[in-house]
Amino acid sequence: KNEVEQSPQNLTAQEGEFITINCSYSVGISALHWLQQHPGGGIVSLFMLSSGKKKHGRLIATINIQEKHSSLHITASHPRDSAVYICAARPFSGGGADGLTFGKGTHLIIQP
Amino acid sequence: GAGVSQSPSNKVTEKGKDVELRCDPISGHTALYWYRQSLGQGLEFLIYFQGNSAPDKSGLPSDRFSAERTGGSVSTLTIQRTQQEDSAVYLCASSLRPGSGRSNEQFFGPGTRLTVL
């Protein structure tokens, strides 16, 4: 069974700071998702990646398959980035187990 | 539709009653997933459909939980004889198809908040 660990669980930072959220997993995966959930809101998929690095605006996600580790970075953070960020690992398909395994989430608060 | 939709958005029921939760995936998406987000438990996988069949039911917490999908589209998650511990947000997601690559990206619905009194 895949274990997905995120750190930190809670993070409070000042507007403009560079933010890093880490995710590690225990078994091989086919892809890793970074999700964002605002209070009372639904879940939005930010990234799905299986190797290397992806960038969308101020968000950057990296993954190291050998080390079973991924990071989500936010540059020039803003209060509207305040949300819960969730890492989710997707197993290799074909075995029937295609559901995601989720980390517990990182609760990020960006103060003005 | 433009995205995954779920209904109802909120459901309050009494312990022991049965409930049905509905998910409408994005048109053309063959893969459909049900997840549950309980307070303090995080998100957990319940069941996955490829077309109308469910190759992975490993996450269903008990035999009170069942799900079906008809016509390769709408899915219904049924919880029989609800218990207070079933209170959670039930999320549905769909993807174009399973497998690796961009086609597997999952798009989430807004969820159904179930409260069992």
Side-chain angles (χ1 to χ4, degrees):
Chain A
K1 183 183 172 186
N2 202 359
E3 302 289 338
V4 178
E5 301 285 341
Q6 275 186 249
S7 62
Q9 286 187 323
N10 295 282
L11 177 58
T12 300
Q14 295 298 121
E15 183 174 357
E17 288 189 37
F18 182 82
I19 303 299
T20 296
I21 300 171
N22 294 300
C23 175
S24 61
Y25 50 92
S26 58
V27 301
I29 62 171
S30 65
L32 187 124
H33 296 251
W34 281 102
L35 310 170
Q36 181 191 56
Q37 186 173 36
H38 284 279
I43 290 176
V44 174
S45 178
L46 298 175
F47 295 101
M48 183 182 73
L49 67 165
S50 55
S51 65
K53 176 180 174 179
K54 288 190 176 180
K55 184 176 188 292
H56 290 157
R58 296 180 294 105
L59 300 178
I60 302 166
T62 63
I63 189 167
N64 185 318
I65 297 296
Q66 288 73 30
E67 294 185 4
K68 297 186 175 60
H69 181 270
S70 176
S71 293
L72 177 69
H73 306 284
I74 305 175
T75 62
S77 59
H78 190 277
R80 65 176 174 267
D81 297 325
S82 299
V84 176
Y85 292 84
I86 303 168
C87 164
R90 183 179 173 274
F92 289 107
S93 63
D98 271 331
L100 298 174
T101 300
F102 299 87
K104 293 193 183 301
T106 294
H107 188 192
L108 175 66
I109 297 173
I110 303 297
Q111 295 177 334
Chain B
V4 178
S5 60
Q6 292 185 245
S7 60
S9 55
N10 283 283
K11 175 72 176 178
V12 180
T13 190
E14 294 180 349
K15 178 181 172 181
K17 301 281 190 184
D18 298 352
V19 295
E20 283 189 355
L21 312 179
R22 176 187 169 110
C23 172
D24 283 87
I26 292 173
S27 178
H29 280 196
T30 64
L32 186 147
Y33 307 80
W34 281 100
Y35 300 99
R36 177 169 73 172
Q37 188 173 35
S38 305
L39 189 63
Q41 297 294 321
L43 277 153
E44 59 178 327
F45 166 75
L46 297 178
I47 189 169
Y48 148 69
F49 286 91
Q50 171 53 32
N52 291 335
S53 64
D56 188 1
K57 302 180 183 178
S58 62
L60 293 177
S62 78
D63 58 8
R64 295 186 296 104
F65 286 71
S66 63
E68 64 176 13
R69 189 179 184 196
T70 56
S73 181
V74 172
S75 176
T76 302
L77 177 69
T78 301
I79 309 173
Q80 296 178 308
R81 306 180 302 281
T82 52
Q83 303 293 313
Q84 288 183 330
E85 61 262 29
D86 299 334
S87 297
V89 175
Y90 289 82
L91 290 153
C92 174
S94 71
S95 65
L96 187 59
R97 54 183 175 270
S100 59
R102 187 80 188 171
S103 61
N104 181 251
E105 183 173 7
Q106 294 185 27
F107 296 85
F108 286 81
T112 294
R113 182 174 298 276
L114 175 66
T115 303
V116 182
L117 301 177

